[in-house]
Amino acid sequence: ESADGKEAIQIYSAALEADTPFDVVILDLTVPNGLGGEETIKRLMKIDPDVKAIVSSGYSDDSVIADHKTHGFRAVLPKPYTLDMLSEVVKDAIEQT
């Protein structure tokens, strides 16, 4: 868990360096007073082009949500979501190559 994208990048980088990479990351598109998902995925992809990321948002009309793969995300998790939805989206994102 991280407070914003900047912290998420630090945690992700540390995990890669420790050879304990994350299977998948979930990034919120909008982070008040912090680095949001759109900029975070760009930076993560520079660190790890194979990052498996899911974008989550309550704003279904955002262009990143509509065209998530172009922005580097493997899947979308619309808010609000259930545990079953979360499980399904995470599984699908991890299985993508």
Side-chain angles (χ1 to χ4, degrees), residues 14-68:
L16 277 179
E17 289 175 18
D19 202 27
T20 56
F22 288 94
D23 293 326
V24 67
V25 295
I26 301 172
L27 301 173
D28 198 318
L29 193 57
T30 306
V31 178
N33 303 314
L35 193 64
E38 186 174 7
E39 184 60 30
T40 301
I41 189 63
K42 289 176 188 175
R43 295 182 189 186
L44 285 176
M45 288 176 65
K46 288 180 182 177
I47 297 166
D48 178 9
D50 297 320
V51 60
K52 293 181 179 181
I54 299 166
V55 62
S56 184
S57 180
Y59 302 104
S60 61
D61 59 344
D62 191 284
S63 63
V64 175
I65 299 298
D67 197 17
H68 65 278

